[in-house]
Structures are given as C-alpha cells and as structure tokens.
C-alpha cells in the first residue's frame, strides 16, 4: 500500500522593515539641519538607517596628515551622532572614498553605528545586508577625473565584493534574502552616472553588476553619484538598483522591505525625497 502525505510548508508571518537611506552628505551642515527639520515635521518611523559613504571630506594627499584624519573622523562621528538624535535606530554605514583611513580596515568604532565595510549582518530572520565601501578612481580617456580610495582599479574592488558575497551566501541559510549596500554602483546602471560640472561620466564598476546578477540579491543600494537626484532602475530579472542621490544636494531616500508568507524578502517600496 502506498500512502501519500501532503507537502508541508512553513508559513511565515508577514513583516515589513523601513530604512532611511542617506549618501554623500560631504559635511553639509545646512542639509543635515534641513533633514532634521523634515524628520521632525514628518515624524516617520524607521527600523534602521543606511549611510552610504562620503560623509567626511578626506582627500588622498592628506591621508598621512594626522590632523586631517582626526578632522575626517570627527565629521563622520558628528554626522552619526546627529542622525541618532533624530532616528533612534541602528545606523549601518559604509565608507565612501572620502572617509578617514581607519574606516576601511575596521579599526575605527563609532558609537551607535555599525561599519558594514566587507561585512554581512543579519537584519532580521531570513534577511542579511552585505556591505562594501570605497571606490576606484574614475577615468575618462585614461585620465583620472575623480580620485578613488582604497581601490586603485575595478578589479581590486570586484575582488573584495566577490569575497563578501561568497562569504555571505556560504554562511547564511540558502533561503536567505540579501540586500547589497555599496558606495559604487554597477557600471551598467544609469544610477551610477557621476556629474562633474556640466559633464556626466560613468562612475560604476562593471564587476559590481556581474556579481549582483549572479547572487540572491533582492536589491542594490548605492551612492557616489551625488547629483543624480535619486534614481531607481530595474536591474536583472527581479530587483532594483537604488541611488538616493546626494544629501549635499538635498536628496535622500526611504526603502521598505517586506517579507511574505513564503519567508522571502523583497523591496516593497522606495521613496526618493528632495529637501529643496
């Protein structure tokens, strides 16, 4: 006798997480104050803050200057403390290409924040965020038009990101959903255009796009393109690439992540905001 048993499926409780997304503030006190006023007036509820880099204003020629490093550290710490005064939730940050050097080797700990550079952290059951900061130089016709740090090439950046994605996918269960946070966007996406005066150049990394297409990524959030005004573009078969724009120009974003009864997380909503 053959007995058939029904297939059992685990039903998960639906859940939603909402995050404030900020990038490229470049120590703009005026825009931070405008953001604070908006937060007080709108009174939104968040579960986390994603800070995507270029909060400080360090330039490479001053990286051996201790006073410049101290100033860049103060700029980053002050911004995180400022945000914590208005959003009393975990602040996850990645360094851009203008942060103090210690943020890239994880030697700097700032209260009320988690440095996600080269790390994977579980935000909730079945949801992990992978982070990689830094940028490579942007070149046009073999001439450097925007310096990078700590990477000197797309190959170096891609190697580190590949290691991060591989570590995360091997460490967490196969049913895990991954949200990727980087400073640099994928070369193929319009979200990676960098504005240099009236000129636009592509500031993305080809390897980033190749990696996010191959993994179980539900969304990719990045900065670096300061004056894009915020963009959300589809990428691959089922997930968006999101650039909130630079806070230095008054732009920021909000992202909602939703878990269905199947336990799979998805990007449910993105709001692009402008303080101007």
């Amino acid at each position: 006798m053959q007995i058939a048993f029904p297939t059992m499926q685990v039903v998960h409780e639906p859940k939603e997480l909402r995050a404030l997304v900020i990038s490229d503030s470049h120590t703009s006190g005026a825009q931070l104050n405008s953001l604070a006023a908006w937060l007080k007036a709108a009174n939104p509820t968040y579960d986390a803050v994603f800070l995507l880099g270029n909060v400080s204003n360090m330039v490479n020629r001053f990286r051996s200057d201790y006073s410049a490093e101290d100033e860049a550290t103060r700029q980053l710490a002050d911004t995180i403390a400022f945000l914590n005064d208005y959003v009393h939730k975990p602040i996850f940050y990645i360094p851009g290409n203008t942060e103090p050097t210690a943020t890239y080797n994880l030697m700097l700990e700032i209260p009320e924040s988690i440095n996600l550079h080269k790390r994977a952290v579980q935000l909730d059951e079945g949801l992990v965020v992978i982070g990689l900061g830094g940028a490579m130089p942007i070149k046009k016709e073999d001439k450097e038009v925007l310096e990078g740090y700590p990477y000197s090439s797309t190959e170096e950046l891609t190697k580190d990101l590949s290691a991060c994605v591989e570590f995360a996918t091997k460490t967490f269960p196969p049913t895990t959903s991954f949200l990727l946070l980087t400073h640099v966007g994928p070369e193929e996406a319009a979200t990676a255009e960098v504005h240099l005066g009236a000129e636009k150049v592509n500031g993305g990394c080809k390897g980033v796009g190749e990696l996010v297409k191959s993994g179980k990524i539900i969304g990719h959030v990045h900065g670096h393109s300061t004056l894009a005004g915020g963009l959300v573009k589809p990428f691959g078969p089922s997930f968006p690439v999101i650039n909130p724009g630079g806070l230095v120009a008054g732009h920021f974003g909000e992202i909602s992540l939703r878990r269905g009864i199947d336990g799979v997380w998805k990007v449910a909503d993105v709001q692009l905001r402008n303080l101007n």
Side-chain angles (χ1 to χ4, degrees):
M1 181 190 306
Q2 185 174 3
I3 302 176
F5 293 94
T7 301
M8 301 297 292
Q9 291 184 329
V10 177
V11 177
H12 295 261
E13 179 183 357
K15 189 171 185 178
E16 186 162 318
L17 296 179
R18 191 171 179 225
L20 173 66
V21 185
I22 300 169
S23 189
D24 296 86
S25 57
H26 287 286
T27 69
S28 176
Q31 294 294 6
L32 281 171
N33 288 329
S34 295
L35 176 62
W38 184 90
L39 290 169
K40 289 175 68 175
N43 195 29
T45 300
Y46 300 118
D47 299 287
V49 178
F50 297 151
L51 194 57
L52 305 178
N54 281 15
V55 174
S56 309
N57 274 334
M58 172 62 76
V59 293
N60 289 347
R61 67 179 182 274
F62 292 135
R63 289 195 179 274
S64 59
D65 184 329
Y66 290 118
S67 63
E69 287 281 358
D70 287 345
E71 175 62 15
T73 300
R74 183 194 63 78
Q75 292 167 351
L76 178 59
D78 285 354
T79 299
I80 288 173
F82 184 91
L83 290 171
N84 190 58
D85 285 341
Y86 293 92
V87 185
H88 305 289
K89 295 295 181 180
I91 297 176
F92 299 91
Y93 79 91
I94 52 174
N97 54 296
T98 62
E99 258 63 69
T101 304
T103 58
Y104 305 95
N105 55 29
L106 304 179
M107 296 296 290
L108 178 66
E109 294 293 335
I110 298 176
E112 312 298 339
S113 69
I114 299 172
N115 185 348
L116 278 177
H117 181 53
K118 296 201 258 189
R119 284 176 169 169
V121 175
Q122 184 170 327
L123 292 184
D124 206 303
E125 180 186 359
L127 177 63
V128 169
V129 59
I130 303 171
L132 184 79
M136 69 288 167
I138 296 176
K139 296 182 179 181
K140 184 178 181 183
E141 297 176 355
D142 294 327
K143 181 182 179 181
E144 184 175 307
V145 294
L146 189 65
E147 67 181 19
Y149 194 85
Y151 301 107
S152 60
S153 67
T154 58
E155 290 78 14
E156 285 184 1
L157 191 152
T158 302
K159 181 180 178 181
D160 273 1
L161 182 58
S162 178
C164 291
V165 173
E166 182 179 3
F167 168 81
T169 53
K170 287 183 176 180
T171 301
F172 294 96
T175 54
T176 303
S177 301
F178 296 99
L179 180 69
L180 180 64
L181 303 184
T182 65
H183 185 63
V184 174
E187 183 183 65
E188 305 93 319
T191 58
E193 284 185 348
V194 174
H195 296 220
L196 300 173
E199 189 176 16
K200 296 180 183 179
V201 295
N202 192 300
C205 176
K206 184 177 181 180
V208 172
E210 292 173 350
L211 277 169
V212 297
K213 285 179 180 178
S214 64
K216 297 172 63 176
I217 308 295
I218 63 167
H220 178 196
V221 191
H222 73 89
H224 202 40
S225 182
T226 307
L227 300 177
L231 289 172
V232 181
K233 295 291 184 181
F235 196 73
S238 60
F239 65 90
V241 173
I242 303 152
N243 177 0
L247 185 63
V248 69
H251 305 293
F252 68 99
E254 299 167 303
I255 181 170
S256 295
L257 307 168
R258 185 175 301 145
R259 182 180 67 194
I261 60 173
D262 58 358
V264 176
W265 288 86
K266 294 182 179 180
V267 176
D269 184 55
V270 178
Q271 296 291 327
L272 300 175
R273 305 290 186 185
N274 189 339
L275 296 168
N276 299 320

